[in-house]
Amino acid sequence: MLDDFLIRAALAGIGLAVATGPLGSFVVWRRMAYFGDATAHAAILGVALALAADLPIGAGTLAVALAMAVTVATLAARGWAMDTTLGVLAHSALALGLVAVSFVPDARVDLSAYLFGDILAVSQTDLAFIWGGALLVLALLIWRWSALLTCTLNEDLAAASGLHPDRERLVLTLALALTVAMALKVVGALLIAAMLIIPAATARGLARSPETMAALAALIGGGSVLGGLQLSLAEDTPAGPSIVVVAMLCFALVAGFGRMRRG
């Protein structure tokens, strides 16, 4: 019989995978990996603000992640060089957040949980927040799927079809910000991008359509969560990093199998 905290951890991780699978597919297609890192790093500043104002951590991280996402989307629309801009914003937000946390009493003890996640400490309230956010992200992506896919393939064609690429980019950034906020408790700010990218990159080697890739990415992410929790339980390793290690092994297996098949 599994303990309640393990069941909550598994449900939280699967909820995260429901969102990161389809969303991560767009991150891979649009080459937005660094954008995910920047938004995740900004979430640490949200932690500091939430602790200082005695607010729920989820509310603080969501507010700052949304602010970062909107800022980056606005700068991208104005033609800023994204690699340099994201580098400045990502590291500045992380550093500012770490400094700000140091001024909050008793916050240093929990800092590693915000950086690397603490999925085994997920509460029922956290679980409701994660699943609520995951379903919202999934509904948003399903609603805008066709438009998002068209804008991803060719923005000029999308504009000629009456779509607004900037608006669809904003939809993605908002979904990414919400995912970062709900994932902070599970895998932490430094590992969120890995859960977005690795399952989607693995699924790309197996799928023959965008829809199949999104579904496979969610399944691979969920399997990585269960495998990572099993590894953590058996070997007493950190749960969040263990999840990412299992996802990495899945990617290595699929990449190796694909190379053998081509050879």
Side-chain angles (χ1 to χ4, degrees), residues 29-51:
W29 293 329
R30 285 175 168 257
R31 299 180 180 179
M32 294 173 61
Y34 205 8
F35 180 87
D37 260 341
T39 308
H41 289 171
I44 294 298
L45 180 57
V47 170
L49 296 177
L51 291 174

Side-chain angles (χ1 to χ4, degrees), residues 18 110 212 250:
V18 166
D110 300 321
T212 303
C250 292

Side-chain angles (χ1 to χ4, degrees), residues 1-2 9 21 33 39-40 49 54 77 101 113 126 132 158 165 178 196 218 225 244 259:
M1 183 73 178
L2 293 175
T39 308
L49 296 177
D54 197 22
V101 167
D126 295 326
L178 181 56
L196 283 166
V225 167
V244 177
R259 186 171 181 179

Side-chain angles (χ1 to χ4, degrees), residues 127-211:
L127 197 57
F129 177 69
I130 290 169
W131 270 98
L135 293 177
L136 183 59
V137 169
L138 187 61
L140 184 63
L141 293 178
I142 291 174
W143 174 47
R144 303 302 304 167
W145 180 266
S146 179
L148 286 170
L149 194 58
T150 302
C151 291
T152 298
L153 293 174
N154 191 315
E155 289 195 354
D156 293 333
L157 176 62
S161 303
L163 299 174
H164 300 280
D166 290 342
R167 183 180 63 189
E168 303 308 327
R169 188 183 298 112
L170 182 59
V171 168
L172 272 182
T173 57
L174 294 178
L176 186 59
L178 181 56
T179 302
V180 166
M182 70 182 189
L184 194 68
K185 185 80 173 184
V186 180
V187 292
L190 300 183
L191 301 176
I192 291 173
M195 283 301 292
L196 283 166
I197 298 167
I198 298 177
T202 305
R204 184 167 60 176
L206 300 171
R208 295 185 177 180
S209 70
E211 293 78 11

Side-chain angles (χ1 to χ4, degrees), residues 48 51-52 99-108:
L51 291 174
V99 171
V101 167
S102 68
F103 288 102
V104 181
D106 302 325
R108 295 184 181 181

